[in-house]
Amino acid sequence: MKKTLLFPLLTSIPMLMFAGGFQVNLQGNKQTGMGHLGTGLTLGASNVYFNPGSMGFLNKKFSSEIGGSFITSEVAFQDQSTGITERTNNPLGTPFYAYASYKVTDKLSAGFGIYTPFGSTVDWGKEWSGKNLVQDISLRAIFIQPTLSYKITDKIGFGAGLNIVSGSVELNRAVPTEPFDNSSVNLQGSTMAFGFNAGLYIQATEKLSLGLTYRSQVDVELKEGDATFDVNSSLANTLPNTTFDATLPLPSTLTFGIGFQINEKWLLSIEQSFVQWSAYETLDFDFANETTPDSKNARNYEDAIIIRVGAQFTASEKLDLRAGFYYDESPVQDEYFSPETPNSDNFGMTLGASFNPTERFGIDASMLYIIGKERTSSYSPDAFGGKYASRSFIPGIGINYNF
């Protein structure tokens, strides 16, 4: 059974875009090349995201970065009672980022960032065996972050920013009515929400640096989203098109990182994140029309940790090489495992490089390979349960400009 499930995954080089839950950890190609860590480092304008407290320690007046990643993904599900394997057909995912940091004075820096730290797209198709749970779902949250940073002393910096979040969701699922009836519902909506982030950076010695960051929880509240039912005429009065309300929490994250410059060539770093996924208890859709039954879906996520280690080797004045590893714990309990965001404990291995042809301009590249732990779901055990497996391979490219 296990070989039957893994073989089609490995032969098609499938890729899955999710970190824990529906978090997307691809906010900078330099950092991704080192295991996506940067809390205790000063690697460029991407410090706006990774630790705003370190912005004042950049050695340039102005720093900027822009880039993204290219994700194709596939998840395989195997019904344990029949041995039949079904797979997703997901569209290309393109998370992106853009940052700028400017030193207003020797102590005060201002920054701006736009990036996509949460999102997922899963397409199981219209006729798969779990179509009553989900056919396809798309979640996206774009963060816009204006930031200020103050260098308190030559060794300590603090920064904070406002997170302006544009969130959207679209979900399609079958409506269980009569056998062989293709009734379905489309749910979609978008909204704005707000949060904040803050970071403390300490250059303890010439070689040792420390960082601590906190990103607040953001509750994305959808009001009067559109629910469009495609049902036969006998159900048109019972399930008319209507509106719905829903709330999707984006969890808070606390991260501590350490950087150590071993010598002129080698830089090492390690960090740990605590993600408060327990905020995601349910995914509920409350319909305005009284004859339409509300959708209540328990999630009961658990808090999770991410541990990262990474290294950078300065090969020459123009070339830096990077490698890293991380362990990303899944927040999803077996009994609540859902095909809408299939997720397991992930082990990520990364490589990266930066080539700087001039003093002001550079190119950053990264490669991320994720091995997801195979797991068995008891979700809706009377009607739906089985094994899930996935693999991920995510290339990224970016450029930076500084003066």
Side-chain angles (χ1 to χ4, degrees), residues 5 75-81 124 128 130 133 298-299 330 332-344 373-389:
L5 178 59
V75 187
F77 164 77
Q78 185 183 71
D79 189 314
Q80 296 297 278
S81 62
W124 288 99
W128 86 295
L133 299 173
R299 290 297 173 258
S330 173
V332 185
Q333 302 181 65
D334 286 343
E335 59 268 34
Y336 296 102
F337 194 91
S338 168
E340 78 189 22
T341 50
N343 180 254
S344 62
K373 181 180 178 182
E374 185 179 291
R375 67 184 298 176
T376 300
S377 166
S378 57
Y379 187 86
S380 299
D382 294 335
F384 195 81
K387 280 188 177 181
Y388 290 82

Side-chain angles (χ1 to χ4, degrees), residues 205-374:
T205 69
E206 185 177 338
K207 293 185 176 182
L208 178 66
S209 56
L210 309 172
L212 180 68
T213 61
Y214 177 77
R215 305 184 64 81
S216 74
Q217 178 178 322
V218 177
D219 292 324
V220 179
E221 298 182 357
L222 298 173
K223 297 293 185 181
E224 297 186 348
D226 295 318
T228 304
F229 287 88
D230 183 7
V231 297
N232 59 49
S233 56
S234 64
L235 294 173
N237 292 329
T238 305
L239 298 175
N241 295 340
T242 184
T243 61
F244 69 91
D245 295 341
T247 299
L248 181 68
L250 308 179
S252 63
T253 302
L254 179 69
T255 302
F256 174 71
I258 301 173
F260 188 71
Q261 189 75 50
I262 298 177
N263 52 42
E264 292 182 357
K265 294 286 188 180
W266 284 99
L267 171 65
L268 298 181
S269 185
I270 183 171
E271 69 179 43
Q272 178 172 326
S273 295
F274 175 78
V275 188
Q276 197 174 7
W277 278 111
S278 57
Y280 190 25
E281 296 179 352
T282 63
L283 178 61
D284 301 337
F285 295 92
D286 299 321
F287 296 101
N289 179 58
E290 294 183 356
T291 64
T292 305
D294 293 336
S295 175
K296 307 292 184 181
N297 306 278
R299 290 297 173 258
N300 291 323
Y301 276 23
E302 296 181 318
D303 295 337
I305 62 170
I306 308 173
I307 300 173
R308 312 175 189 276
V309 294
Q312 175 178 281
F313 176 72
T314 301
S316 69
E317 291 184 359
K318 296 183 180 294
L319 180 64
D320 293 320
L321 303 176
R322 304 183 182 93
F325 172 84
Y326 69 80
Y327 166 70
D328 186 359
E329 182 182 29
S330 173
V332 185
Q333 302 181 65
D334 286 343
E335 59 268 34
Y336 296 102
F337 194 91
S338 168
E340 78 189 22
T341 50
N343 180 254
S344 62
D345 292 349
N346 287 328
F347 300 88
M349 293 168 284
T350 70
L351 293 173
S354 288
F355 178 65
N356 303 288
T358 72
E359 184 179 350
R360 294 187 174 187
F361 176 75
I363 302 171
D364 308 311
S366 67
M367 201 72 74
L368 169 60
Y369 177 64
I370 302 175
I371 301 173
K373 181 180 178 182
E374 185 179 291

Side-chain angles (χ1 to χ4, degrees), residues 59 78 92 102 116 138 149 161 172-173 193 221 240 247 288 387-388 390 403:
N59 57 12
Q78 185 183 71
L92 180 71
Y102 179 76
T116 51
S138 176
S149 180
N172 288 284
R173 63 168 56 161
E221 298 182 357
T247 299
K387 280 188 177 181
Y388 290 82
S390 64
F403 61 81

